[in-house]
Amino acid sequence: MSSSLPKQSDGMYKLVLLHYFISGLCFLLLAVLFLFSIKDISGHYFNPHLLAITHLAALGWGTLVIFGACYQLLPVLLETDLYSSKLPWFTFVLFIPGLFCLIYSFWVFEPGIHMQAGGLLLTSAILTFCITVIRTAKKSKVSSIHKEFIVTSSIWLVATALVGTLLVFNFHYAFLPKDHLQYLRLHAHMGLAGWFLMLIIGVSCKLIPMFLVSRIQLNHLLSWSYYLVNLALLLFLIDGYFYGINLHTYFITMVLLAGLSCYFVYVKKCFDSRLKKKLDIPILKTVLSISLLSLALILIPVIIYSSSKQNGLAVHYSIFYGMLLFMGWITALIMGHAFKTLPFIVWVRKYEHLSGKRKIPMPADLYSSKLLKLQYVSYIAFCILFFCGYLLYSPVMMIIGIGCLLISSVAYLLNLVILIKHKDKSLSHERI
């Protein structure tokens, strides 16, 4: 992979690092806000603190790091130069103030000018990102299912942002014809299935076999996954808009599960046919993330049943479902892939031109393995304690679990700093 990563200008390299670093700060802030929101987590999902936390997780922690990774990986996946080196900076300048305007206004719940400005800035930033992706894809001569996943996911992200902005203005003007919670449910699943799921499948199905050195890749399964996941999402949006959660949702869930099953079989075949037998911590986190996604999927029929019966447990399990996706599936995947992709990005920048000329470190030598282990162990402890504590209605277990998440986020951020600020020590010894 290292030889295939293109070198970028100083500006683009710094921009990629900024995305990773600020995303890491958002992860730490997310853990802190969780600690102050224990009571809110046990209530209804439509409350100011949970809205702030969810959007910080989705945008600041998840989307921001994906943007940064895409600017480096798109040229590799699509085998062409990035459409523009200026547009990503414009996206970043719009995204950051928009993010913190939105998070702050949700936390204190002031649905006025700050919330509206945040929504408009974020939507504008997402539009420019989508333009970068689509124009880069148009330049590419490669025809692959990975390309379709990435382009489609960016379009879904724009749709998610547009609906979210409408909801922000609806707080003040109340112009939407249906219940606000109904639109919120559609908005959330457009982001989860349309943006995160589509992009993660498209990128991971290129990176996983690359990291594992897999001999067999069943690409036809990815095509089935692409069409089935998109079909399920479209059916959910149409049916959900007119009828809400009902018996049709069971059928739509089956379509989604069929699409995800194709993806899971593809990944399993990559693992089974791998030449690299030893699994490192980042890959183990990928396995953990898929396990947490599977657990969340098991909850869907329970949520549908509880909602159709208007059972109070529907809200309880819906919050658990959302936390499994944001703090489980997405978080584990980001924490794993960050230390597979970013070390290569830094290594290519600092060492590729020296390859074969003198002894140089490997990408895995650029960060602390001890911090990576601490991050991994504390995150697993968080998953066990927090999720079990939520199901058992135990605030003590949840608080201890969030304490573990704080440790994990600090270890993650410190390791990012070590990686970003890495200096070639061997070169200084040679000079001496």
Side-chain angles (χ1 to χ4, degrees):
M1 182 179 174
S2 58
S3 60
S4 64
L5 280 175
K7 285 191 176 181
Q8 293 185 328
S9 65
D10 288 341
M12 280 304 299
Y13 176 71
K14 289 177 182 177
L15 181 63
V16 171
L17 297 187
L18 265 175
H19 277 78
Y20 276 88
F21 178 68
I22 295 177
S23 172
L25 287 175
C26 288
F27 183 32
L28 178 58
L29 178 60
L30 184 61
V32 173
L33 293 184
F34 250 114
L35 199 58
F36 289 97
S37 306
I38 293 293
K39 292 181 180 179
D40 301 294
I41 293 169
S42 303
H44 197 278
Y45 55 81
F46 188 68
N47 71 69
H49 287 180
L50 277 190
L51 285 174
I53 287 172
T54 301
H55 284 83
L56 181 60
L59 296 169
W61 170 225
T63 298
L64 195 60
V65 74
I66 289 172
F67 279 9
C70 280
Y71 296 140
Q72 182 69 52
L73 295 176
L74 273 176
V76 178
L77 299 176
L78 302 182
E79 298 180 18
T80 187
D81 294 333
L82 204 63
Y83 165 68
S84 168
S85 59
K86 294 179 180 178
L87 207 54
W89 275 104
F90 187 63
T91 299
F92 180 78
V93 169
L94 291 172
F95 192 94
I96 297 302
L99 171 66
F100 288 104
C101 273
L102 192 71
I103 301 308
Y104 170 78
S105 54
F106 273 142
W107 186 263
V108 299
F109 205 72
E110 293 181 356
I113 187 66
H114 293 99
M115 190 181 290
Q116 293 164 9
L120 290 172
L121 284 169
L122 284 167
T123 300
S124 301
I126 287 166
L127 277 169
T128 58
F129 171 77
C130 185
I131 290 169
T132 301
V133 171
I134 291 174
R135 295 300 294 267
T136 302
K138 281 187 176 181
K139 285 177 59 182
S140 173
K141 296 180 181 179
V142 174
S143 178
S144 69
I145 192 62
H146 306 90
K147 179 178 175 179
E148 301 304 320
F149 270 109
I150 294 168
V151 171
T152 306
S153 70
S154 68
I155 294 170
W156 276 118
L157 178 60
V158 171
T160 305
L162 289 172
V163 173
T165 303
L166 287 175
L167 288 173
V168 162
F169 279 90
N170 191 62
F171 279 132
H172 189 75
Y173 299 104
F175 57 88
L176 293 174
K178 291 183 180 290
D179 181 65
H180 193 94
L181 289 178
Q182 193 166 342
Y183 291 104
L184 185 64
R185 190 183 300 117
L186 301 180
H187 166 69
H189 284 86
M190 286 169 71
L192 284 166
W195 164 235
F196 283 114
L197 184 59
M198 292 291 290
L199 185 95
I200 286 169
I201 292 176
V203 174
S204 66
C205 284
K206 186 74 173 179
L207 295 184
I208 287 174
M210 189 184 295
F211 291 141
L212 295 175
V213 195
S214 302
R215 291 179 289 105
I216 300 175
Q217 299 172 44
L218 305 178
N219 288 321
H220 67 281
L221 289 177
L222 297 183
S223 296
W224 276 103
S225 181
Y226 175 84
Y227 291 111
L228 288 169
V229 170
N230 274 291
L231 175 62
L233 182 54
L234 286 170
L235 290 174
F236 177 79
L237 294 176
I238 295 168
D239 191 64
Y241 178 81
F242 289 105
Y243 305 108
I245 301 296
N246 57 80
L247 291 176
H248 301 158
T249 318
Y250 284 110
F251 169 74
I252 296 169
T253 301
M254 294 303 295
V255 176
L256 174 66
L257 292 176
L260 285 173
S261 296
C262 294
Y263 167 63
F264 292 152
V265 171
Y266 174 91
V267 172
K268 184 179 183 301
K269 199 65 179 178
C270 288
F271 273 86
D272 291 343
S273 65
R274 71 186 188 276
L275 296 177
K276 186 178 179 181
K277 297 301 180 183
K278 186 179 179 181
L279 300 179
D280 54 18
I281 288 177
I283 292 296
L284 287 173
K285 281 193 174 176
T286 301
V287 175
L288 175 61
S289 75
I290 293 174
S291 302
L292 292 166
L293 172 61
S294 302
L295 185 58
L297 294 173
I298 293 171
L299 280 175
I300 294 178
V302 179
I303 295 170
I304 296 171
Y305 177 80
S306 300
S307 298
S308 63
K309 299 294 183 181
Q310 296 184 337
N311 191 320
L313 286 175
V315 172
H316 183 72
Y317 287 121
S318 293
I319 293 175
F320 186 50
Y321 166 76
M323 289 189 298
L324 280 171
L325 292 176
F326 283 115
M327 303 312 300
W329 168 52
I330 293 172
T331 294
L333 199 64
I334 291 172
M335 290 171 72
H337 278 274
F339 287 96
K340 292 296 286 185
T341 56
L342 190 58
F344 275 107
I345 293 170
V346 175
W347 186 91
V348 167
R349 184 74 180 181
K350 298 192 175 185
Y351 293 108
E352 189 179 42
H353 65 288
L354 298 172
S355 182
K357 297 179 181 178
R358 64 176 177 85
K359 186 178 179 180
I360 57 175
M362 296 297 289
D365 299 325
L366 307 187
Y367 57 86
S368 168
S369 59
K370 291 181 180 178
L371 281 175
L372 191 67
K373 289 176 183 176
L374 175 62
Q375 169 196 315
Y376 182 59
V377 171
S378 56
Y379 176 72
I380 290 178
F382 157 75
C383 290
I384 295 170
L385 290 166
F386 181 81
F387 292 136
C388 290
Y390 181 81
L391 288 176
L392 297 172
Y393 299 93
S394 172
V396 174
M397 287 182 69
M398 291 169 67
I399 291 171
I400 297 172
I402 293 172
C404 294
L405 183 67
L406 271 169
I407 294 170
S408 187
S409 63
V410 170
Y412 175 86
L413 187 59
L414 286 175
N415 229 357
L416 277 184
V417 172
I418 290 170
L419 181 55
I420 291 170
K421 294 180 72 66
H422 171 79
K423 291 183 180 179
D424 186 357
K425 295 179 182 178
S426 63
L427 187 59
S428 62
H429 290 319
E430 285 181 8
R431 287 175 180 172
I432 293 172

